[in-house]
Amino acid sequence: MQNPGDEPASGPRTGEDVPCAPERRRSFHPRGHGRIVVWVSLSKKSFDRHDETFDDPVEGEGFFGWVCNDIDVYPYPSTRPADVRVQLGNQRPKVILHKRDSEDDPLVIDQTRGISVARAQELAEQVLHRT
């Protein structure tokens, strides 16, 4: 997991949006943020559109994808569905997790409602003091 603040959420494109081809499956991963940096798997069509418009983004454009990171402090049995929202001004895309009717995913709840300073400290301690 990438720690918040390791890298800025904006800056020049550096080849960090990468098509990956593990074994027989091909995945496309733009790097986005939703307070922490995550990788999202998109369809080839969506990734190609993201890539084509990176230098001249279309405000409000978005894509469906799956968050691929294992986030230790927010365990989840599979990938998380999300929307990737294009940002202007050379900003990384914003990743917005999907809510469900019976939502009990703490990451979705924390992203939607926000977290207190005490909760942020608790999460940071969990990440920093793993054995």
Side-chain angles (χ1 to χ4, degrees), residues 3 21 31-32 35 37 49 56-57 60-62 66 69-70 81 90 92 102 109 111-112 115 120 126 130:
N3 291 323
R31 188 168 167 183
R35 299 280 190 239
V37 176
R49 175 69 181 160
D56 190 19
E61 187 167 43
W66 297 94
N69 298 69
D70 286 331
N90 206 23
R92 294 190 202 287
S102 61
I109 293 167
Q111 184 187 46
T112 303
I115 61 173
Q126 288 178 33
R130 285 186 287 215

Side-chain angles (χ1 to χ4, degrees), residues 53-123:
T53 61
F54 185 85
D55 292 323
D56 190 19
V58 177
E59 186 171 10
E61 187 167 43
F63 311 100
F64 172 80
W66 297 94
V67 175
C68 299
N69 298 69
D70 286 331
I71 304 170
D72 295 341
V73 294
Y74 289 105
Y76 196 73
S78 64
T79 56
R80 291 174 163 99
D83 292 322
V84 178
R85 293 284 172 220
V86 172
Q87 303 294 297
L88 299 180
N90 206 23
Q91 296 288 312
R92 294 190 202 287
K94 191 176 281 186
V95 177
I96 303 163
L97 298 168
H98 284 203
K99 291 188 273 186
R100 299 199 176 128
D101 291 338
S102 61
E103 188 56 65
D104 60 354
D105 180 354
L107 181 57
V108 173
I109 293 167
D110 285 355
Q111 184 187 46
T112 303
R113 296 180 187 166
I115 61 173
S116 66
V117 171
R119 175 76 173 137
Q121 182 174 347
E122 174 188 338
L123 293 172

